[in-house]
Amino acid sequence: MTPDASFPPFLVGYPPLTPVTDAAPVADFDTGYHPPLSRKPLPATGAWREGDDPGERQFADLGPLPLELGGTIPVTLAFETWGTLAPDGSNAILLCHALTGDSHATSRDGTDGWWHDIVGPGKAIDTERWFVVCPNVLGGCQGSTGPASTAPDGKPWGSRFPEITIRDMCAAEKLLADRLGVRCWALIAGASFGGCRVMEWAASYPDMCAAIAVLVAGPATTAEQIAYQKTQNQAIALDPAFNGGDYYHLPDGAGPHRGLGLARELAHITYRSPLELHQRFGRTPQAGEDPLAGGRYAVSSYLDHHAYKLAARFDANSYLTISQSMITHDIGRGRGGTRAVVAALTMPALVVAVDSDRLFYPSDMAQLAAALPGARPLRTVVSEYGHDGFLIENDQVTAILGEFLDDLGLRALPAPARQMQ
């Protein structure tokens, strides 16, 4: 493939794709909204902006939110819902998306979304039985208040956006629950960064969590996970085009897409497994390129492709904001320590590991399942894809979630009688 001079050399995984790069599964499984990859050159931010197509998003203006680290911020959350809320509000499920995910867990027609094989009529999370809510996280860039959003002075927040924590994100979602009339979630489920929010929800609002499902996540980040996130953040901050976080005025092609792309490449290595990379790519050169003459190996093209795709749909400041919240994640902060808080979470819990995960190790998931008083025995997804197995092995996840809901007696109840207003 002949490189296009309009693209920076670092980001070369653009259409037309090569057979190796295009080999399945190459999708970004953690997002439901997929902008076209023909956008040239890359925008300064891939954030959803006011005036863009809202898709199936709804928006809730929730007013000022006091932040854990001080100050307040006016909050709007983008969210999506499926199903009908019962008259007593007892059939609500909250879904928490992954780090670069969004509110689009599934679509109204069930054909797309990051968990569309699991959420929908007759599926594991049956929207004929459940009222399912998935918000875009505070600090994100797909419709919720974040660094790319307009501040009260009419300009993007940019570098002025305050540091927020996962505790703040859950507090914003609590306001959304109040607005929707949900007094207690029948289940809160999430994986990876989303699973960390599930843990914080359970610690902050235990009376609102009838049951939790934590997939490949933990109650506090480990030193290794902090190291991974710190390195990714540095990749963005050291991009000269980042401009300290104030880059929204820059023209297309001049934003911090190199740093954001590199952060994605570093992260993606932790999301996949050595076995998959070896089996899919080995030391195969990229088609038409010679690694001994400045060309790439196929695995390099694969990473470049994911870098390009994230830069087209995400915002560098949001990546930093959310990543920093992962670094500081600890449900025991100010509450007597992580172990004490975990031991106090008595609601029924499902803990899921992926056997090839090298970000949230199966041994750590086993320890969490053993420490949660209400946890069922650890369930393990078998996958060659590593951490991303929770988004790829949908048949296994469907069976595990379905069995958990059956165990709780929650799939045999009648469907709600009234439509959400």
Side-chain angles (χ1 to χ4, degrees), residues 69-160:
L69 301 180
T72 62
I73 187 171
V75 170
T76 295
L77 287 188
F79 66 101
E80 296 179 46
T81 66
W82 307 268
T84 303
L85 185 65
D88 62 359
S90 63
N91 70 325
I93 289 179
L94 177 67
L95 299 183
C96 300
H97 65 70
L99 192 146
T100 58
D102 50 43
S103 61
H104 201 52
T106 188
S107 58
R108 294 191 183 103
D109 63 7
T111 60
D112 60 26
W114 55 266
W115 240 11
H116 72 275
D117 287 335
I118 293 168
V119 179
K123 298 178 181 179
I125 299 179
D126 188 349
T127 51
E128 293 180 341
R129 163 70 184 94
W130 300 105
F131 176 65
V132 182
V133 181
C134 184
N136 179 225
V137 72
L138 173 67
C141 63
Q142 289 300 312
S144 292
T145 298
S149 303
T150 302
D153 64 0
K155 300 177 181 179
W157 281 98
S159 63
R160 301 173 297 160

Side-chain angles (χ1 to χ4, degrees), residues 84-400:
T84 303
L85 185 65
D88 62 359
S90 63
N91 70 325
I93 289 179
L94 177 67
L95 299 183
C96 300
H97 65 70
L99 192 146
T100 58
D102 50 43
S103 61
H104 201 52
T106 188
S107 58
R108 294 191 183 103
D109 63 7
T111 60
D112 60 26
W114 55 266
W115 240 11
H116 72 275
D117 287 335
I118 293 168
V119 179
K123 298 178 181 179
I125 299 179
D126 188 349
T127 51
E128 293 180 341
R129 163 70 184 94
W130 300 105
F131 176 65
V132 182
V133 181
C134 184
N136 179 225
V137 72
L138 173 67
C141 63
Q142 289 300 312
S144 292
T145 298
S149 303
T150 302
D153 64 0
K155 300 177 181 179
W157 281 98
S159 63
R160 301 173 297 160
F161 194 77
E163 181 176 347
I164 59 175
T165 65
I166 289 181
R167 206 163 289 181
D168 295 325
M169 297 170 180
C170 293
E173 291 163 1
K174 164 66 164 57
L175 294 177
L176 177 63
D178 294 342
R179 177 72 60 86
L180 295 174
V182 176
R183 294 184 293 275
C184 180
W185 299 103
L187 175 69
I188 303 181
S192 192
F193 164 70
C196 295
R197 282 162 56 207
V198 173
M199 295 297 306
E200 182 59 50
W201 252 102
S204 291
Y205 310 103
D207 293 341
M208 290 189 68
C209 305
I212 58 174
V214 182
L215 291 76
V216 290
T221 39
T222 67
E224 182 178 44
Q225 291 160 359
I226 292 171
Y228 286 143
Q229 299 294 154
K230 182 267 185 188
T231 307
Q232 294 163 39
N233 286 1
Q234 285 292 95
I236 294 172
L238 294 176
D239 185 333
F242 181 63
N243 195 37
D246 295 315
Y247 50 82
Y248 297 109
H249 64 288
L250 297 176
D252 289 357
H257 44 262
R258 290 178 177 85
L260 179 57
L262 180 55
R264 181 62 165 191
E265 295 200 15
L266 292 167
H268 199 76
I269 294 168
T270 72
Y271 299 158
R272 297 305 179 100
S273 75
L275 176 62
E276 183 209 2
L277 297 179
H278 171 71
Q279 290 182 339
R280 288 187 63 191
F281 304 111
R283 293 183 53 80
T284 305
Q286 179 67 353
E289 299 186 29
D290 181 0
L292 296 177
R296 300 166 300 162
Y297 286 97
V299 70
S300 302
S301 174
Y302 169 75
L303 291 174
D304 287 344
H305 180 59
H306 278 286
Y308 173 80
K309 289 200 296 181
L310 187 76
R313 69 172 179 85
F314 214 73
D315 178 63
N317 273 324
S318 277
Y319 197 103
L320 287 175
T321 296
I322 297 172
S323 183
Q324 180 63 22
S325 79
M326 277 284 288
I327 287 174
T328 61
H329 168 57
D330 182 357
I331 67 172
R333 182 174 60 251
R335 296 170 173 159
T338 309
R339 290 184 180 180
V341 174
V342 169
L345 302 180
T346 58
M347 69 283 292
L350 171 68
V351 179
V352 181
V354 175
D355 66 344
S356 55
D357 196 337
R358 55 176 170 178
L359 184 57
F360 289 88
Y361 294 103
S363 59
D364 292 335
M365 301 310 301
Q367 290 178 18
L368 177 60
L372 281 168
R376 279 34 178 180
L378 176 72
R379 299 300 303 272
T380 300
V381 171
V382 178
S383 178
E384 67 181 34
Y385 298 116
H387 183 69
D388 273 356
F390 79 89
L391 289 164
I392 298 173
E393 308 291 356
N394 289 322
D395 288 346
Q396 295 183 59
V397 175
T398 289
I400 290 169

